[in-house]
Structure formats: structure tokens, C-alpha cells
Amino acid sequence: MRITNQQKKELSSIFNQNELNLLDFEASGSYQEFKIKFKFDYFSFNIIKTDKDQYQITIQSIDNTNAGTTVTKWDGVIHRFKLWSNEISSELNTPNGWGTFENENYLNTDYDDLNKSFSKNEKESIRQSLKYIKKKVKTLDVSSDTLKIIEHKLDELDTKVDDLKKFDWKSLFIGTIASLIMSLGITPESAGMLWEMIKSSFSGLKLKG
């Protein structure tokens, strides 16, 4: 007995539909077991094939650190995985409006970053996060001209990922966002939501190291 590649592909498709970043999750297990875990929190979904068409699933959801276990057929696995993925996506992508620039080290900038370049995976994660922020800023209460300026600056930051060291790029990123907020007169509410978008987008990257 085994969980097939076709079944794993079904799960991957659900992830993509919910705009979840696969790089933020760990997939493990072989043959009869398959587990997906968010790298930076307790959220996880574990599947064990126990019989020909029977699967034991153990789920840790966003609002309960205690795992719940049940046995179901594959259709039931898909249904539960859709619910779990949607729940995780909503949690990770929803700004709560309380974010501020003060006392926040969103990108884990430190001295060790001075002479380090981003790895290939880190560059890919950064670009996905910038794309996410560019999409989400459209929900802010700002003018179309302000929106265009923000989008242009995010595009510029994308082009700098390959050229700058970690410390320099992170400093440029934070400085750019802070300058945009001050120079464009973005309201405190929208500014808070923007920082929350950044925090949410980069929370899975842990660019330190």
C-alpha cells in the first residue's frame, strides 16, 4: 500500500489554488505516510494509509495546537485538506491592522548578513513575497497614483535581489517602504495594514542565516 504521486499532486494543486508557498512547508514520509507541516508554526496535516481505501488523518489547525485524528476515504481526505489549506491561507494572508514599523525586525537583519548573498531558494521566496505584496496593496485605501509608485518600487526591489548582499537588500527594502509611507502621506491605518502584509509575507522566509 502507498499514497501515490497522483494523490500527492492533488494535494499540491489545492495548495496552489490557495496561493500557499510550498517553500514555507515541509513534506515528508514515504509509501503509506505523507505529512505537510508549516515550517514556522505548528500547523500540520498528516496522512497514513491504513487499508485499501482507508486513511488516517491527523490535523493541527490554526486555532488548536492539539491534533485531531480521524479515519476516512480519500474523498474525505481531499475535503479536509481543502478546509485546512483554506484556513491556513486565510490566517497567513490576512493583515490584522496592528502592524507598525517601530521595534520590528521583519527580515531578521543582523551583522552576519553584511557579506552574505541570498541563496537561490531565498531569492525565489523573496520574489514570491514581493509578488504577494504587490497584489495585496491593491486593497489599501490609497490613490491610483500612489499605488503605481508602490508597485514600481517593489519592481525595483525585485531587480536588486541578485545584486545586493543580504544586509544591503534588507536595509533597502525597509528604507524604501518607510520612505513611501512618509513621502506619500499614507494614512496610519493603511500603513499598519501594509506592514502587516510585509510581516505576513516574509514570516515564512526567515531570511536570517
Side-chain angles (χ1 to χ4, degrees), residues 28-146:
S28 60
S30 58
Y31 301 110
Q32 294 173 250
E33 184 173 4
F34 188 65
K35 182 176 183 179
I36 303 96
K37 184 185 183 302
F38 185 52
K39 291 180 180 178
F40 311 106
D41 218 319
Y42 59 85
F43 320 140
S44 65
F45 195 102
N46 190 49
I47 308 166
I48 299 175
K49 187 168 186 177
T50 58
D51 207 338
K52 184 177 180 180
D53 193 26
Q54 291 291 317
Y55 301 84
Q56 175 182 296
I57 53 176
T58 302
I59 306 169
Q60 285 187 290
S61 58
I62 62 169
D63 58 356
N64 193 346
T65 57
N66 296 318
T69 299
T70 189
V71 175
T72 183
K73 294 185 178 181
W74 183 249
D75 287 346
V77 174
I78 291 296
H79 175 69
R80 295 293 185 89
F81 192 74
K82 284 180 178 178
L83 293 176
W84 181 79
S85 298
N86 183 64
E87 180 183 71
I88 301 302
S89 178
S90 295
E91 177 68 13
L92 297 180
N93 293 330
T94 301
N96 62 33
W98 289 93
T100 65
F101 177 62
E102 298 176 358
N103 301 319
E104 290 285 357
N105 186 6
Y106 289 100
L107 305 186
N108 296 298
T109 307
D110 62 21
Y111 180 80
D112 291 340
D113 288 337
L114 281 173
N115 298 308
K116 287 184 179 179
S117 298
F118 292 114
S119 68
K120 182 179 179 180
N121 284 344
E122 286 174 334
K123 290 177 182 178
E124 183 179 347
S125 294
I126 289 170
R127 288 191 163 108
Q128 288 186 10
S129 293
L130 290 174
K131 186 183 296 184
Y132 164 80
I133 296 169
K134 192 174 177 180
K135 176 181 177 181
K136 288 295 182 180
V137 293
K138 291 181 172 65
T139 66
L140 296 178
D141 184 19
V142 297
S143 69
S144 58
D145 288 340
T146 295

Side-chain angles (χ1 to χ4, degrees), residues 149-161:
I149 293 172
I150 295 173
E151 291 175 337
H152 176 67
K153 288 300 181 182
L154 291 173
D155 287 338
E156 287 185 350
L157 287 164
D158 186 302
T159 65
K160 299 291 185 182
V161 172

Side-chain angles (χ1 to χ4, degrees), residues 21-26 39-40 121 124-125 128 204-205:
N21 186 351
L22 288 172
L23 294 174
D24 292 342
F25 293 78
E26 294 175 343
K39 291 180 180 178
F40 311 106
N121 284 344
E124 183 179 347
S125 294
Q128 288 186 10
L205 296 177

